[in-house]
Amino acid sequence: MQATIESLPPTILQNFPITEEEYKQLESKFGALCHYAAWQLFKKNNKNNLTDEQEDIVQELRIALIRSGSYYKRQTYIESSFKALHACVKDEFTQLMIIELWDLWKNRIRHGAGRQKFGWFQENILDQLLAKYVPKSMRPDKSQPLQIDLKFTTYCKQIAWNAQKLMGKKITREKSWRTGLVSLSEFSHLDGIYS
């Protein structure tokens, strides 16, 4: 059975989109960091025949900022959902199910063979529990604006530096095949020799 686009679960970026106003806030707070990280990466790799311009690296880091904003919105939504469920659910069986979901959420970053995941399926169960047990006035809102607090600032900076390191590793891996590249000015010079 082949999956169609309609049957795929929505991504975190689709469920928790960053608005234009939120992007402007991210850019004003972390734009200089993106430029500095891009400048550092460009400076370290300018002898590696780097094909990207510094502005290309800045754009990649801005995409990482948008991703971190969406992920943080999801994180605050899920944690608020657990608080609302804890306050409203009195049924013992349902409380046990919520505890199991909370354990999955709490241990979502564990690595190795026992790695656990809190994905779309678990988030869907959480949404259904919210709809069933929590009054509408107490439910968290998925479209709530991004809160740029101290916790998010630390998270976002870490995401930006991780993205920069990942790009640096990619540049290093690709160095060997870039050494054989010929620029357009060199190509025209070589073209005259072989004509």
Side-chain angles (χ1 to χ4, degrees), residues 26-91:
L26 286 171
E27 176 61 30
S28 69
K29 185 142 178 98
F30 302 105
L33 174 69
C34 289
H35 283 279
Y36 177 71
W39 171 77
Q40 264 194 334
L41 188 65
F42 194 76
K43 187 177 123 187
K44 285 180 186 175
N45 293 289
N46 64 354
K47 293 180 182 171
N48 290 345
N49 291 343
L50 182 63
T51 55
D52 291 342
E53 295 292 324
Q54 188 172 336
E55 192 57 36
D56 295 333
I57 298 169
V58 171
Q59 293 302 330
E60 288 289 326
L61 292 172
R62 284 181 179 141
I63 291 169
L65 291 181
I66 292 170
R67 193 177 313 115
S68 68
S70 288
Y71 279 54
Y72 191 74
K73 283 172 90 171
R74 176 182 182 249
Q75 182 175 332
T76 54
Y77 168 77
I78 289 173
E79 289 172 357
S80 300
S81 298
F82 279 118
K83 286 179 188 172
L85 284 167
H86 181 70
C88 295
V89 173
K90 304 300 178 206
D91 174 34

Side-chain angles (χ1 to χ4, degrees), residues 101-165:
L101 281 173
W102 174 249
D103 283 341
L104 269 179
W105 173 253
K106 197 170 56 176
N107 296 318
R108 69 192 178 280
I109 55 175
R110 190 189 314 170
H111 298 289
R115 186 168 186 201
Q116 299 175 351
K117 183 178 179 186
F118 191 94
W120 176 81
F121 180 72
Q122 289 78 11
E123 193 174 327
N124 194 21
I125 292 171
L126 191 66
D127 287 341
Q128 289 178 14
L129 289 170
L130 278 173
K132 185 171 183 178
Y133 292 102
V134 179
K136 223 173 197 175
S137 61
M138 292 178 63
R139 288 183 205 156
D141 186 13
K142 279 190 176 185
S143 61
Q144 185 175 346
L146 177 65
Q147 300 169 0
I148 301 181
D149 54 7
L150 187 60
K151 187 177 174 185
F152 174 72
T153 301
T154 305
Y155 176 72
C156 195
K157 286 179 181 178
Q158 187 65 44
I159 294 291
W161 286 115
N162 286 346
Q164 186 229 31
K165 286 179 188 175

